[in-house]
């Protein structure tokens, strides 16, 4: 298998694992990933998702942001506040993946509205043009739609508006 451009990440992970005095198997168990998969990441053969990097960072007790930058998920030149906000959203265990992506999209739309947008999608394209225009309170999105999240919902629903 050809090496992807993630060798720097793999070398860094191996170094951090050794500094923590953990075996490959111990780190894999602590991070909830398979031993062979973690080995492939360390050797630069696999590019892990942000979620896997978050789990590995937690197991190593290091910053997930650092791993995101090394993996090319985040640009090292980005505004530090933006990076930290994104990392906190992605790390929140009370949100499911869909909710995290929608929240990142809303955050990015507000940044663009205020002249700070990066021009990059916030983790994926939305299924529709705007968020659910439900009844009840909620905050307004940059495109004028209501961002409504009900406590019993599994997440905001996308509609064509």
């Amino acid at each position: 298998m050809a090496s992807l451009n993630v060798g720097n990440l793999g070398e860094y992970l191996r170094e951090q694992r050794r500094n923590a005095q953990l075996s490959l198997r111990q780190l894999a168990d602590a991070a909830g990933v398979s031993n062979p998969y973690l080995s492939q990441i360390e050797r630069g053969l696999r590019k892990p998702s942000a979620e896997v990097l978050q789990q590995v960072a937690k197991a190593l007790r290091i910053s997930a942001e650092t791993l995101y930058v090394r993996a090319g998920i985040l640009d090292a030149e980005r505004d530090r506040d933006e990076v930290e906000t994104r990392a906190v959203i992605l790390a929140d265990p009370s949100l499911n993946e869909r909710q995290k992506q929608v929240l990142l999209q809303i955050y990015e739309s507000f940044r663009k509205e205020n002249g700070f947008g990066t021009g990059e999608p916030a983790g994926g394209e939305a299924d529709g043009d705007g968020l659910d225009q439900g009844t009840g309170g909620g905050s307004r999105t940059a495109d004028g739609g209501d961002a409504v999240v009900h406590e019993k919902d599994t997440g905001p629903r996308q509609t064509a508006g």
Side-chain angles (χ1 to χ4, degrees):
M1 182 180 293
S3 180
L4 301 172
N5 192 16
V6 291
N8 188 24
L9 170 67
E11 292 168 15
Y12 180 76
L13 281 177
R14 181 177 291 126
E15 180 182 317
Q16 294 303 309
R17 177 176 58 78
R18 289 179 177 162
N19 288 343
Q21 298 180 341
L22 293 172
S23 71
L24 192 65
R25 185 173 310 280
Q26 288 171 321
L27 178 57
D29 288 343
V33 299
S34 74
N35 190 39
Y37 182 62
L38 185 57
S39 174
Q40 290 174 343
I41 293 169
E42 281 195 359
R43 291 181 288 139
L45 301 176
R46 295 273 183 188
K47 184 173 182 177
S49 68
E51 183 177 321
V52 168
L53 289 175
Q54 179 184 335
Q55 292 169 238
V56 170
K58 185 175 179 180
L60 287 171
R61 296 187 174 118
I62 61 175
S63 164
E65 173 190 326
T66 302
L67 296 184
Y68 295 157
V69 169
R70 289 185 178 265
I73 294 172
L74 293 177
D75 182 358
E77 300 298 318
R78 282 193 180 172
D79 178 27
R80 185 159 185 83
D81 290 340
E82 177 189 4
V83 170
E84 289 174 356
T85 300
R86 289 174 182 278
V88 167
I89 291 169
L90 290 170
D92 189 334
S94 67
L95 300 175
N96 65 37
E97 287 307 308
R98 175 93 173 113
Q99 291 167 332
K100 290 175 185 179
Q101 293 307 313
V102 170
L103 189 53
L104 286 172
Q105 289 170 352
I106 292 169
Y107 174 67
E108 183 65 25
S109 73
F110 284 146
R111 285 185 51 81
K112 285 180 183 175
E113 181 179 303
N114 294 331
F116 294 100
T118 61
E120 296 177 15
E125 295 298 319
D127 295 334
D129 295 329
L131 292 173
D132 184 13
Q133 304 264 341
T135 61
S139 58
R140 304 289 286 177
T141 62
D143 64 358
D146 286 324
V148 179
V149 180
H150 300 283
E151 288 184 40
K152 294 185 181 182
D153 283 350
T154 58
R157 293 176 299 276
Q158 297 284 333
T159 62

